[in-house]
């Protein structure tokens, strides 16, 4: 029986893929399955990947080569389709993990009959690493899930989840979101999970130095992703008839989107979905004075004027740069 299937989307990471694979092959948990979904990398990533995995003939390794570049969401979905493990984990191909990560999480999962087991993680920069502690699920479920939503961090890479739970609720990654697609998946997964356990130890190392990663794609791209995720999560909680307990958390989540007030259509969606949303927009404690002014303008439907002004300023700056 396969204990844990680990799904790794792979794209344009020739500098990092060897470290990623070797950290996976060093896992102390037995009977694991490793699914690499190669997404048409234009560099030597696939060549390096095949060379490294050939050194481990006794490991359960699958390499899926996409015919066209589809992005990380579709790559993960492809992995989910063929995964056979009791639990499923995810990893990004420019990161690395400690040897005991999956054994530790899997042991806790079996001991507690958990649907999901999470852990802390490290954000690794050029000269230092920051410890990030994840939500502790010992308190009320609504409170904990709200905390997860407002944290603004939605990676699925420092946890394992029961494959049957994912299939039972037909959970998948939405490729239309772009940025924060993993957060959209994670929040729905945690909502359906009956037992969630946190391991207070950091096993996972997020590499923040890769300038080619999606996290370095720019604020506008990140904001648009969160806006899309907000809309989809609002629809999800409405469908579950539980929008009210999470409306404040969803509002706080949007505080991470620096430009969302300049999107008139999205703002109308916010007003329709969350009737009390203006209360949170004008909260300077969460929002800051500058963005509170923007919020006030948006409330009185002047966001379009503000957007036009910013566009003119950007054009003027561009003219000076070209000269």
């Amino acid at each position: 029986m396969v204990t844990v299937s680990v799904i790794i989307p792979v794209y344009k990471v020739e500098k990092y893929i060897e470290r990623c694979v070797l950290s996976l092959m060093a896992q102390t948990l037995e009977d694991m399955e490793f699914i690499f979904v190669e997404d048409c990398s234009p560099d030597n990533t696939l060549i390096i990947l095949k060379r490294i995995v050939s050194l481990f003939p006794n490991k359960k390794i699958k390499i899926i080569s996409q015919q066209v570049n589809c992005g990380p969401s579709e790559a993960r979905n492809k992995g989910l389709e063929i995964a056979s493990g009791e639990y499923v984990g995810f990893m990004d191909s420019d990161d690395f993990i400690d040897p005991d990560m999956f054994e530790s999480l899997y042991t806790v999962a079996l001991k507690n009959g958990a649907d999901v087991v999470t852990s802390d993680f490290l954000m690794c920069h050029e000269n230092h690493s920051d410890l990030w502690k994840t939500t502790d699920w010992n308190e009320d479920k609504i409170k904990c899930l709200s905390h997860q939503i407002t944290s603004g961090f939605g990676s699925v890479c420092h946890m394992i989840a029961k494959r049957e739970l994912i299939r039972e609720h037909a959970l998948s990654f939405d490729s239309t979101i772009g940025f924060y697609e993993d957060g959209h998946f994670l929040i729905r997964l945690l909502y359906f999970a009956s037992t969630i356990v946190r391991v207070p130890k950091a096993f996972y190392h997020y590499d923040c130095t890769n300038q080619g990663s999606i996290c370095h794609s720019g604020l506008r791209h990140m904001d648009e992703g969160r806006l899309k995720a907000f809309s989809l999560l609002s629809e999800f909680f409405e469908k579950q008839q539980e929008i009210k307990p999470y409306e404040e958390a969803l509002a706080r989540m949007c505080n991470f989107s620096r430009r969302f007030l300049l999107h008139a259509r999205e703002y109308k969606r916010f007003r329709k979905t969350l009737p009390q949303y203006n209360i949170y927009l004008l909260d300077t404690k969460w929002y800051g004075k500058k963005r509170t002014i923007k919020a006030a303008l948006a409330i009185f439907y002047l966001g379009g004027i503000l957007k036009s002004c910013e566009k003119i300023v950007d054009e003027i700056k561009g003219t000076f740069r070209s000269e």
Side-chain angles (χ1 to χ4, degrees), residues 177-221:
I177 296 179
F179 181 81
Y180 205 70
E181 79 290 344
D182 46 357
H184 172 247
F185 177 92
L186 175 63
I187 291 168
R188 291 178 298 141
L189 172 68
L190 294 172
Y191 174 82
F192 288 121
S194 297
T195 305
I196 307 169
V197 181
R198 167 184 169 248
V199 177
K201 181 179 177 181
F203 305 96
Y204 196 97
H205 301 254
Y206 285 96
D207 192 318
C208 301
T209 66
N210 181 8
Q211 295 299 314
S213 71
I214 193 170
C215 292
H216 292 277
S217 57
L219 293 179
R220 182 182 293 276
H221 176 72

Coordinates of all heavy atoms in Angstrom, one line a residue, residues 177-221:
I177 N -7.5 31.0 -11.5 CA -7.1 31.9 -10.5 C -5.7 32.5 -10.7 O -5.5 33.7 -10.5 CB -7.2 31.2 -9.1 CG1 -8.6 30.8 -8.8 CG2 -6.7 32.1 -8.0 CD1 -8.8 30.1 -7.5
G178 N -4.8 31.7 -11.1 CA -3.4 32.2 -11.3 C -2.7 32.2 -10.0 O -2.1 31.1 -9.5
F179 N -2.6 33.3 -9.2 CA -2.0 33.3 -7.9 C -3.0 33.0 -6.9 O -4.2 33.4 -7.0 CB -1.4 34.7 -7.7 CG -0.7 34.8 -6.3 CD1 0.6 34.3 -6.2 CD2 -1.3 35.4 -5.3 CE1 1.3 34.5 -5.0 CE2 -0.7 35.5 -4.0 CZ 0.6 35.0 -3.9
Y180 N -2.6 32.3 -5.8 CA -3.5 31.9 -4.7 C -4.5 30.8 -5.0 O -5.4 30.5 -4.3 CB -4.3 33.1 -4.1 CG -4.7 32.9 -2.7 CD1 -3.7 33.0 -1.7 CD2 -6.0 32.8 -2.3 CE1 -4.1 32.8 -0.3 CE2 -6.4 32.6 -1.0 CZ -5.4 32.6 0.0 OH -5.8 32.5 1.3
E181 N -4.2 30.0 -6.1 CA -5.0 28.9 -6.4 C -4.9 27.8 -5.4 O -5.8 27.1 -5.1 CB -4.7 28.4 -7.8 CG -3.4 27.5 -7.9 CD -2.1 28.2 -7.7 OE1 -2.1 29.4 -7.8 OE2 -1.1 27.5 -7.4
D182 N -3.7 27.7 -4.7 CA -3.5 26.7 -3.7 C -4.3 27.1 -2.4 O -4.8 26.2 -1.7 CB -2.0 26.5 -3.4 CG -1.3 27.8 -3.2 OD1 -1.8 28.9 -3.4 OD2 -0.1 27.7 -3.0
G183 N -4.4 28.4 -2.2 CA -5.2 28.9 -1.0 C -6.7 28.5 -1.2 O -7.4 28.1 -0.2
H184 N -7.2 28.7 -2.4 CA -8.6 28.4 -2.7 C -8.8 26.9 -2.5 O -9.9 26.5 -1.9 CB -8.9 28.8 -4.2 CG -10.2 28.3 -4.7 ND1 -10.3 27.4 -5.7 CD2 -11.4 28.7 -4.3 CE1 -11.6 27.2 -5.9 NE2 -12.3 27.9 -5.1
F185 N -7.9 26.1 -2.9 CA -8.0 24.6 -2.7 C -7.9 24.3 -1.2 O -8.7 23.5 -0.7 CB -6.9 23.9 -3.4 CG -6.8 22.4 -3.2 CD1 -7.5 21.6 -4.1 CD2 -6.1 21.8 -2.2 CE1 -7.4 20.2 -3.9 CE2 -6.0 20.5 -2.0 CZ -6.7 19.6 -2.9
L186 N -6.9 24.9 -0.5 CA -6.7 24.6 0.9 C -7.9 24.9 1.8 O -8.3 24.1 2.7 CB -5.4 25.3 1.4 CG -5.1 25.2 2.9 CD1 -4.8 23.7 3.2 CD2 -3.9 26.1 3.2
I187 N -8.5 26.1 1.6 CA -9.6 26.5 2.5 C -10.8 25.6 2.3 O -11.4 25.2 3.3 CB -9.9 28.0 2.2 CG1 -8.8 28.9 2.7 CG2 -11.2 28.4 2.9 CD1 -8.9 30.3 2.2
R188 N -11.1 25.2 1.1 CA -12.2 24.2 0.9 C -11.8 22.9 1.5 O -12.7 22.2 2.1 CB -12.5 24.1 -0.6 CG -13.1 25.4 -1.2 CD -13.3 25.2 -2.6 NE -12.1 25.0 -3.4 CZ -12.0 24.2 -4.4 NH1 -13.0 23.5 -4.8 NH2 -10.8 24.0 -5.0
L189 N -10.6 22.4 1.4 CA -10.2 21.2 2.0 C -10.3 21.2 3.5 O -10.9 20.2 4.1 CB -8.7 20.9 1.6 CG -8.0 19.7 2.3 CD1 -8.7 18.4 1.8 CD2 -6.5 19.7 2.0
L190 N -9.8 22.3 4.1 CA -9.9 22.4 5.6 C -11.4 22.5 6.1 O -11.7 22.0 7.1 CB -9.1 23.6 6.0 CG -7.6 23.5 5.8 CD1 -7.0 24.9 6.1 CD2 -7.0 22.4 6.6
Y191 N -12.2 23.1 5.3 CA -13.6 23.2 5.6 C -14.3 21.8 5.7 O -15.0 21.5 6.7 CB -14.4 24.0 4.6 CG -15.9 24.1 4.8 CD1 -16.4 25.0 5.7 CD2 -16.7 23.2 4.1 CE1 -17.8 25.0 5.9 CE2 -18.1 23.2 4.3 CZ -18.6 24.1 5.2 OH -20.0 24.1 5.4
F192 N -13.9 20.9 4.8 CA -14.5 19.6 4.8 C -13.9 18.6 5.8 O -14.4 17.5 6.1 CB -14.5 19.0 3.4 CG -15.5 19.6 2.4 CD1 -15.0 20.2 1.3 CD2 -16.8 19.6 2.7 CE1 -15.9 20.8 0.4 CE2 -17.7 20.2 1.8 CZ -17.2 20.8 0.6
A193 N -12.7 18.9 6.2 CA -11.9 18.0 7.1 C -12.5 17.9 8.5 O -12.9 19.0 9.1 CB -10.5 18.4 7.2
S194 N -12.7 16.7 9.0 CA -13.3 16.6 10.3 C -12.2 16.7 11.4 O -12.5 17.3 12.5 CB -13.9 15.2 10.4 OG -15.0 15.1 9.5
T195 N -11.0 16.2 11.2 CA -10.0 16.2 12.1 C -8.7 16.8 11.5 O -8.2 16.2 10.5 CB -9.6 14.8 12.7 OG1 -10.8 14.2 13.2 CG2 -8.6 14.9 13.8
I196 N -8.2 17.9 12.1 CA -7.0 18.6 11.6 C -6.0 18.7 12.7 O -6.4 19.1 13.8 CB -7.4 20.0 11.0 CG1 -8.5 19.9 10.0 CG2 -6.1 20.6 10.4 CD1 -9.0 21.3 9.6
V197 N -4.8 18.3 12.5 CA -3.8 18.3 13.5 C -2.6 19.1 13.0 O -2.2 18.9 11.9 CB -3.3 16.9 13.9 CG1 -2.3 17.0 15.0 CG2 -4.5 16.1 14.4
R198 N -2.0 19.9 13.8 CA -0.8 20.7 13.5 C 0.4 20.1 14.2 O 0.3 19.8 15.4 CB -1.0 22.1 13.9 CG 0.4 22.9 13.9 CD 0.2 24.4 14.4 NE 1.5 25.0 14.6 CZ 1.9 25.4 15.7 NH1 1.2 25.1 16.9 NH2 3.1 25.9 15.8
V199 N 1.5 19.9 13.5 CA 2.7 19.5 14.1 C 3.6 20.7 14.2 O 3.9 21.4 13.2 CB 3.5 18.4 13.2 CG1 4.8 18.1 13.8 CG2 2.6 17.2 13.0
P200 N 3.9 21.1 15.4 CA 4.6 22.4 15.7 C 6.1 22.3 15.4 O 7.0 22.5 16.2 CB 4.4 22.7 17.1 CG 4.3 21.3 17.8 CD 3.6 20.5 16.7
K201 N 6.4 21.9 14.1 CA 7.8 21.8 13.7 C 7.9 22.2 12.2 O 7.0 21.9 11.5 CB 8.4 20.4 13.9 CG 9.8 20.2 13.5 CD 10.3 18.8 13.8 CE 11.8 18.7 13.3 NZ 12.3 17.3 13.5
A202 N 9.0 22.9 11.9 CA 9.2 23.3 10.5 C 10.0 22.2 9.7 O 11.2 22.1 10.0 CB 9.8 24.6 10.4
F203 N 9.4 21.6 8.7 CA 10.1 20.6 7.9 C 10.4 21.1 6.5 O 11.3 20.7 5.8 CB 9.3 19.3 7.8 CG 8.9 18.7 9.0 CD1 7.6 18.9 9.6 CD2 9.7 17.8 9.7 CE1 7.2 18.3 10.8 CE2 9.3 17.1 10.8 CZ 8.1 17.4 11.4
Y204 N 9.5 22.1 6.1 CA 9.5 22.5 4.7 C 10.2 23.8 4.6 O 10.1 24.8 5.3 CB 8.0 22.7 4.2 CG 7.9 22.8 2.7 CD1 7.5 21.7 2.0 CD2 8.1 24.0 2.1 CE1 7.4 21.8 0.6 CE2 8.0 24.1 0.7 CZ 7.6 23.0 0.0 OH 7.5 23.0 -1.4
H205 N 11.1 23.9 3.5 CA 11.9 25.1 3.3 C 11.4 25.7 1.9 O 11.7 25.2 0.9 CB 13.4 24.7 3.2 CG 13.9 24.0 4.4 ND1 14.7 24.7 5.3 CD2 13.7 22.8 4.9 CE1 15.0 23.8 6.3 NE2 14.4 22.7 6.1
Y206 N 10.8 26.9 2.0 CA 10.3 27.6 0.8 C 11.5 28.5 0.4 O 12.0 29.3 1.1 CB 9.2 28.5 1.2 CG 7.9 27.8 1.3 CD1 7.4 27.5 2.5 CD2 7.1 27.5 0.2 CE1 6.2 26.8 2.7 CE2 5.9 26.9 0.3 CZ 5.4 26.5 1.6 OH 4.2 25.9 1.7
D207 N 11.9 28.3 -0.8 CA 13.0 29.1 -1.4 C 12.5 30.4 -2.0 O 11.8 30.4 -3.0 CB 13.8 28.3 -2.5 CG 15.1 28.9 -2.9 OD1 15.1 30.2 -3.0 OD2 16.1 28.2 -3.1
C208 N 12.8 31.5 -1.3 CA 12.3 32.8 -1.8 C 13.3 33.5 -2.7 O 13.0 34.7 -3.1 CB 12.1 33.7 -0.5 SG 10.9 33.0 0.6
T209 N 14.3 32.8 -3.1 CA 15.3 33.5 -4.0 C 15.1 33.2 -5.5 O 15.7 33.9 -6.3 CB 16.7 33.0 -3.6 OG1 16.8 31.6 -4.0 CG2 17.0 33.1 -2.2
N210 N 14.2 32.3 -5.8 CA 13.9 32.0 -7.2 C 13.1 33.1 -7.8 O 11.8 33.2 -7.6 CB 13.2 30.7 -7.3 CG 12.9 30.3 -8.8 OD1 13.4 31.0 -9.7 ND2 12.1 29.3 -9.0
Q211 N 13.7 34.0 -8.6 CA 13.0 35.1 -9.2 C 12.0 34.7 -10.3 O 11.2 35.5 -10.8 CB 14.0 36.1 -9.8 CG 15.0 36.8 -8.8 CD 14.2 37.6 -7.8 OE1 13.3 38.4 -8.2 NE2 14.5 37.4 -6.5
G212 N 12.1 33.5 -10.7 CA 11.2 33.0 -11.8 C 9.9 32.4 -11.2 O 9.1 32.0 -12.0
S213 N 9.8 32.3 -9.9 CA 8.6 31.7 -9.3 C 7.4 32.6 -9.4 O 7.5 33.8 -9.6 CB 8.9 31.4 -7.8 OG 8.9 32.5 -7.0
I214 N 6.2 32.1 -9.2 CA 5.0 32.8 -9.3 C 4.9 33.9 -8.3 O 4.2 34.9 -8.5 CB 3.8 31.9 -9.3 CG1 2.5 32.6 -9.7 CG2 3.6 31.3 -7.9 CD1 1.3 31.7 -9.9
C215 N 5.6 33.7 -7.1 CA 5.5 34.7 -6.1 C 6.3 36.0 -6.4 O 6.1 37.0 -5.8 CB 6.1 34.2 -4.8 SG 5.1 32.8 -4.1
H216 N 7.0 36.0 -7.5 CA 7.8 37.1 -8.0 C 7.2 37.7 -9.3 O 7.8 38.4 -10.0 CB 9.2 36.8 -8.2 CG 10.0 36.5 -6.9 ND1 10.5 37.5 -6.1 CD2 10.3 35.3 -6.3 CE1 11.1 36.9 -5.1 NE2 11.0 35.6 -5.2
S217 N 5.9 37.4 -9.5 CA 5.2 37.8 -10.8 C 4.6 39.1 -10.7 O 4.0 39.6 -11.7 CB 4.2 36.7 -11.1 OG 3.2 36.6 -10.1
G218 N 4.7 39.8 -9.6 CA 4.2 41.2 -9.5 C 3.0 41.3 -8.7 O 2.2 40.4 -8.6
L219 N 2.8 42.5 -8.0 CA 1.7 42.7 -7.2 C 0.3 42.7 -7.9 O -0.7 42.2 -7.3 CB 1.8 44.1 -6.5 CG 3.0 44.2 -5.5 CD1 3.0 45.6 -4.9 CD2 2.9 43.2 -4.4
R220 N 0.3 43.2 -9.1 CA -1.0 43.2 -9.8 C -1.5 41.7 -10.1 O -2.7 41.4 -9.9 CB -0.9 43.9 -11.2 CG -2.2 44.0 -12.0 CD -1.9 44.7 -13.3 NE -1.6 46.1 -13.1 CZ -2.5 47.0 -12.9 NH1 -3.8 46.7 -12.9 NH2 -2.2 48.3 -12.8
H221 N -0.6 40.9 -10.5 CA -0.9 39.5 -10.7 C -1.4 38.8 -9.4 O -2.4 38.1 -9.4 CB 0.3 38.7 -11.3 CG 0.1 37.3 -11.5 ND1 -0.7 36.7 -12.5 CD2 0.5 36.2 -10.8 CE1 -0.8 35.4 -12.4 NE2 0.0 35.1 -11.3

